[in-house]
Amino acid sequence: QAFDQLFKRFAKRIFAMGMKLTRNEQLSNDLVQEAMLTVWQKAPLYDLDRGTAQSWIFTLTRNRCFDMLRKLKRQPSTVNADDIWPQEGEHDGNMVHEEQGSQEVEIA
Protein backbone atom coordinates (compact mmCIF):
# COMPACT_ATOMS: atom_id res chain seq x y z
CA GLN A 1 0.00 0.00 0.00
CA ALA A 2 2.90 2.38 0.71
CA PHE A 3 4.34 1.73 -2.76
CA ASP A 4 0.90 2.39 -4.28
CA GLN A 5 0.82 5.79 -2.58
CA LEU A 6 4.35 6.51 -3.72
CA PHE A 7 3.42 5.57 -7.29
CA LYS A 8 0.35 7.83 -7.24
CA ARG A 9 2.41 10.69 -5.83
CA PHE A 10 5.25 10.52 -8.37
CA ALA A 11 3.84 8.96 -11.56
CA LYS A 12 2.58 12.21 -13.10
CA ARG A 13 5.75 14.07 -12.24
CA ILE A 14 7.96 11.31 -13.64
CA PHE A 15 5.83 11.31 -16.80
CA ALA A 16 6.27 15.09 -17.12
CA MET A 17 10.01 14.71 -16.66
CA GLY A 18 10.02 12.01 -19.34
CA MET A 19 8.13 14.23 -21.77
CA LYS A 20 10.60 17.03 -21.17
CA LEU A 21 13.60 14.77 -21.77
CA THR A 22 12.28 12.52 -24.56
CA ARG A 23 9.39 14.43 -26.16
CA ASN A 24 7.75 11.03 -26.63
CA GLU A 25 4.59 9.92 -24.85
CA GLN A 26 5.26 6.18 -25.12
CA LEU A 27 8.82 6.53 -23.83
CA SER A 28 7.52 8.68 -20.98
CA ASN A 29 4.96 6.04 -20.02
CA ASP A 30 7.70 3.41 -20.15
CA LEU A 31 9.90 5.65 -18.01
CA VAL A 32 7.24 5.82 -15.30
CA GLN A 33 7.11 2.02 -15.16
CA GLU A 34 10.88 1.55 -15.35
CA ALA A 35 11.65 4.25 -12.81
CA MET A 36 9.13 3.01 -10.27
CA LEU A 37 10.38 -0.56 -10.74
CA THR A 38 13.90 0.69 -10.05
CA VAL A 39 12.67 2.52 -6.94
CA TRP A 40 11.07 -0.71 -5.73
CA GLN A 41 14.18 -2.78 -6.43
CA LYS A 42 16.64 -0.28 -4.96
CA ALA A 43 14.60 0.89 -1.98
CA PRO A 44 16.96 -0.81 0.50
CA LEU A 45 19.82 1.29 -0.91
CA TYR A 46 18.13 4.61 -0.10
CA ASP A 47 20.13 6.59 2.44
CA LEU A 48 18.30 9.42 4.21
CA ASP A 49 21.62 11.07 5.06
CA ARG A 50 22.34 11.61 1.35
CA GLY A 51 19.13 13.50 0.54
CA THR A 52 15.37 13.39 0.41
CA ALA A 53 13.43 10.47 -1.02
CA GLN A 54 12.11 12.79 -3.71
CA SER A 55 15.57 13.79 -4.92
CA TRP A 56 16.64 10.13 -4.85
CA ILE A 57 13.61 9.10 -6.93
CA PHE A 58 14.19 11.84 -9.50
CA THR A 59 17.88 11.01 -9.73
CA LEU A 60 17.00 7.35 -10.37
CA THR A 61 14.41 8.50 -12.91
CA ARG A 62 16.85 10.73 -14.77
CA ASN A 63 19.46 7.97 -14.88
CA ARG A 64 16.88 5.41 -16.04
CA CYS A 65 15.75 7.80 -18.77
CA PHE A 66 19.30 8.23 -20.04
CA ASP A 67 19.74 4.44 -19.99
CA MET A 68 16.59 4.06 -22.11
CA LEU A 69 17.76 6.70 -24.59
CA ARG A 70 21.19 5.09 -24.91
CA LYS A 71 19.56 1.73 -25.53
CA LEU A 72 17.38 3.22 -28.26
CA LYS A 73 20.43 4.74 -29.92
CA ARG A 74 22.19 1.36 -30.03
CA GLN A 75 19.21 -0.43 -31.54
CA PRO A 76 18.99 -0.42 -35.33
CA SER A 77 16.13 1.50 -36.82
CA THR A 78 13.01 -0.42 -37.68
CA VAL A 79 13.63 -2.95 -40.42
CA ASN A 80 11.23 -2.92 -43.31
CA ALA A 81 10.30 -6.18 -45.07
CA ASP A 82 11.60 -4.64 -48.31
CA ASP A 83 15.03 -4.40 -46.68
CA ILE A 84 15.07 -8.14 -46.06
CA TRP A 85 13.25 -9.64 -49.03
CA PRO A 86 14.47 -8.92 -52.55
CA GLN A 87 12.22 -6.92 -54.83
CA GLU A 88 10.60 -8.62 -57.77
CA GLY A 89 13.21 -9.03 -60.47
CA GLU A 90 16.16 -8.69 -58.07
CA HIS A 91 15.76 -12.26 -56.91
CA ASP A 92 15.78 -13.65 -60.45
CA GLY A 93 19.02 -11.85 -61.31
CA ASN A 94 20.72 -13.16 -58.19
CA MET A 95 19.64 -16.70 -59.01
CA VAL A 96 21.18 -16.42 -62.50
CA HIS A 97 24.49 -15.28 -61.00
CA GLU A 98 24.39 -18.05 -58.41
CA GLU A 99 23.60 -20.66 -61.07
CA GLN A 100 26.42 -19.37 -63.30
CA GLY A 101 28.79 -19.50 -60.33
CA SER A 102 27.88 -23.09 -59.57
CA GLN A 103 28.30 -24.05 -63.24
CA GLU A 104 31.75 -22.47 -63.27
CA VAL A 105 32.72 -24.48 -60.22
CA GLU A 106 31.46 -27.69 -61.82
CA ILE A 107 33.36 -26.97 -65.04
CA ALA A 108 36.59 -26.21 -63.23
Side-chain angles (χ1 to χ4, degrees), residues 3-102:
F3 184 75
D4 187 45
Q5 289 177 352
L6 196 66
F7 190 94
K8 287 177 183 174
R9 180 174 178 185
F10 286 100
K12 288 181 182 178
R13 293 165 67 192
I14 290 171
F15 178 83
M17 182 180 187
M19 286 298 293
K20 183 177 179 181
L21 293 172
T22 68
R23 297 183 188 350
N24 182 301
E25 187 174 346
Q26 184 57 49
L27 282 177
S28 298
N29 282 321
D30 291 346
L31 178 62
V32 172
Q33 299 300 315
E34 294 285 335
M36 293 309 291
L37 177 63
T38 304
V39 167
W40 175 259
Q41 291 171 335
K42 295 190 175 194
L45 301 176
Y46 170 66
D47 182 4
L48 183 59
D49 294 334
R50 296 185 66 195
T52 65
Q54 178 175 309
S55 65
W56 180 72
I57 289 170
F58 283 112
T59 299
L60 286 176
T61 299
R62 184 196 68 220
N63 293 343
R64 190 67 193 114
C65 183
F66 292 154
D67 291 343
M68 290 170 65
L69 292 172
R70 273 192 295 273
K71 184 178 178 182
L72 281 175
K73 242 184 193 179
R74 285 193 315 260
Q75 291 178 344
S77 61
T78 304
V79 177
N80 188 329
D82 294 336
D83 297 335
I84 299 171
W85 301 104
Q87 297 295 317
E88 215 171 295
E90 286 180 19
H91 183 66
D92 299 336
N94 290 340
M95 285 295 287
V96 170
H97 294 297
E98 288 174 14
E99 288 174 12
Q100 287 173 348
S102 64

